Amino acid sequence: CTICKAKNLNNKAIVFLPHHRLALCKEHFIEWFEKRVDKTIKEFKMFDKNDNILVAVSGGKDSLSLWNALYKLGYNADGFYINLGINEYSEDSKILAQKFADKIGKKLHIISLKEEIASIPEIKEKTNRPTCSACGTIKRYYINKYAKELGYNIIATGHNLDDEAAVLFSNTLNWEIDFLKKQYPVLKEEDGFIKKVKPLCKITEKESALYAFLNNIDYIEYECPFAEGASSIEYKIFLNELENKHPGTKLKFYTQFLKKMYPILNSVEKEEKSLKHCIICGEPSFNDICSVCRLKQLVKN
Ligand code: SF4
Ligand code: ZN
């Protein structure tokens, strides 16, 4: 281990991180991971110890690793789980999320989509919206709504570097300027929207899985059945091939975008669509009726 060696200890490394040129033992990998998350939180002024954070928990490695790291770093973070009603996948992930919350003695708020609107398989059957796009909209809507009701002022999600690099790659391939302008690890609080942050944005998927494993966190190891065939998976595979040949590619692609391109994109003044409030539910929306209320109507009809 690079750190043990410097301290004249002789623990064997269990992992080599080529893009950081670091070989680390279990103890120092965990320490490195938590320090890196904390540094990211501070670099982007995400939150501090006085904030009330709500972690969007899916039961997967990223959200549970994030929650664990925030807990160990002394931040005030509870969890929020949405039961999407995707058969076994939702049942298994709910059990694991609750098991983890019990382990660290923190509150996990659980809502059921079936009670709020309809399960994801029902929404898929009754509307022609692409499933993951509808699911993403719904998840963003409910966590924002409940965070406000429950008194939290920060929403933290487990998006990792692989997720962010894949989205950046897709948005760049399609020159989605409006999406690129918003691709930042912090989305500030706006009329009706709570501040959203991504503290794992500089942590790779492998690092997050290893952190979960070394901390004995049980997480859902299989993907949601609807994830199959998503183009983001192809982009991740492609970026990982590049990463294997040139370690550091993903991190550089993402961080250099934030440093060099993001400020340029946001320096161009553009007329922003003004935010209104949904006439049905009162939540923030760019249209008279928000997308979740429209989905509800489609499901009903
Ligand atoms: Fe929702 Fe798609 Fe993710 Fe499944 S893969 S949880 S449907 S966004
Ligand atoms: Zn609405």
Side-chain angles (χ1 to χ4, degrees):
C1 164
T2 317
I3 298 170
C4 285
K5 209 170 143 194
K7 290 182 178 171
N8 268 336
L9 300 164
N10 71 14
N11 284 332
K12 281 235 164 74
I14 53 143
V15 62
F16 176 56
L17 307 173
H19 52 300
H20 299 294
R21 294 201 184 94
L22 274 178
L24 297 170
C25 67
K26 175 180 172 181
E27 179 198 334
H28 286 122
F29 173 77
I30 292 177
E31 188 185 281
W32 171 86
F33 183 100
E34 289 163 4
K35 272 191 184 161
R36 189 160 173 80
V37 172
D38 208 25
K39 214 172 146 195
T40 307
I41 291 168
K42 294 192 166 96
E43 178 186 349
F44 294 101
K45 298 187 176 66
M46 292 182 172
F47 46 76
D48 62 34
K49 306 247 158 106
N50 297 315
D51 287 308
N52 282 328
I53 305 150
L54 193 58
V55 180
V57 175
S58 66
K61 62 185 181 324
D62 301 312
S63 56
L64 295 182
S65 288
L66 169 63
W67 199 4
N68 193 66
L70 295 185
Y71 168 71
K72 283 180 71 189
L73 289 163
Y75 291 105
N76 205 358
D78 290 334
F80 185 75
Y81 177 86
I82 305 179
N83 184 343
L84 301 169
I86 307 175
N87 312 326
E88 267 167 58
Y89 172 76
S90 289
E91 284 316 309
D92 291 349
S93 54
K94 188 174 88 182
I95 291 169
L96 293 170
Q98 187 62 63
K99 190 177 155 196
F100 180 77
D102 294 342
K103 185 174 145 189
I104 61 166
K106 286 282 178 182
K107 175 100 192 127
L108 178 70
H109 303 277
I110 299 179
I111 65 156
S112 156
L113 206 54
K114 210 173 166 54
E115 282 164 25
E116 299 284 348
I117 158 170
S119 69
I120 291 293
E122 277 173 287
I123 292 172
K124 178 182 160 65
E125 199 192 300
K126 291 182 179 163
T127 71
N128 56 5
R129 282 276 306 271
T131 314
C132 290
S133 142
C135 181
T137 306
I138 288 168
K139 285 191 284 196
R140 281 190 295 275
Y141 174 91
Y142 283 108
I143 193 166
N144 188 65
K145 181 172 182 276
Y146 278 96
K148 283 188 289 182
E149 285 177 22
L150 296 164
Y152 296 89
N153 64 329
I154 305 282
I155 293 169
T157 58
H159 294 96
N160 60 39
L161 177 63
D162 294 55
D163 299 323
E164 292 305 291
V167 172
L168 177 60
F169 187 64
S170 160
N171 285 340
T172 305
L173 274 184
N174 297 300
W175 293 119
E176 293 283 8
I177 301 296
D178 286 342
F179 291 148
L180 286 169
K181 282 177 79 169
K182 287 187 189 145
Q183 203 182 344
Y184 203 68
V186 176
L187 287 179
K188 63 178 189 336
E189 185 195 344
E190 247 184 300
D191 193 17
F193 284 118
I194 286 199
K195 184 175 178 183
K196 290 190 193 69
V197 298
K198 298 173 182 173
L200 299 191
C201 65
K202 291 191 182 179
I203 296 284
T204 66
E205 204 164 296
K206 276 189 191 160
E207 289 158 1
S208 156
L210 182 59
Y211 179 80
F213 173 74
L214 296 177
N215 281 289
N216 296 318
I217 300 171
D218 277 341
Y219 61 84
I220 185 123
E221 288 183 37
Y222 60 97
E223 290 271 6
C224 164
F226 294 112
E228 213 176 294
S231 56
S232 61
I233 295 183
E234 282 174 30
Y235 296 147
K236 282 185 181 175
I237 294 170
F238 173 72
L239 289 168
N240 279 336
E241 279 171 14
L242 273 180
E243 181 76 26
N244 287 339
K245 285 189 195 147
H246 308 284
T249 301
K250 280 185 285 194
L251 188 62
K252 210 165 160 195
F253 178 50
Y254 179 61
T255 53
Q256 293 301 306
F257 162 78
L258 294 181
K259 202 169 145 196
K260 297 175 181 165
M261 203 60 205
Y262 179 81
I264 295 176
L265 289 172
N266 280 287
S267 66
V268 185
E269 282 292 327
K270 202 187 143 220
E271 216 179 297
E272 292 280 338
K273 251 180 143 189
S274 64
L275 206 55
K276 312 175 188 177
H277 287 271
C278 169
I279 54 168
I280 300 174
C281 69
E283 286 299 302
S285 167
F286 288 109
N287 301 302
D288 290 338
I289 300 179
C290 77
S291 23
V292 170
C293 285
R294 267 183 287 149
L295 258 180
K296 265 189 192 172
Q297 289 174 340
L298 280 175
V299 171
K300 246 197 229 163
N301 296 335

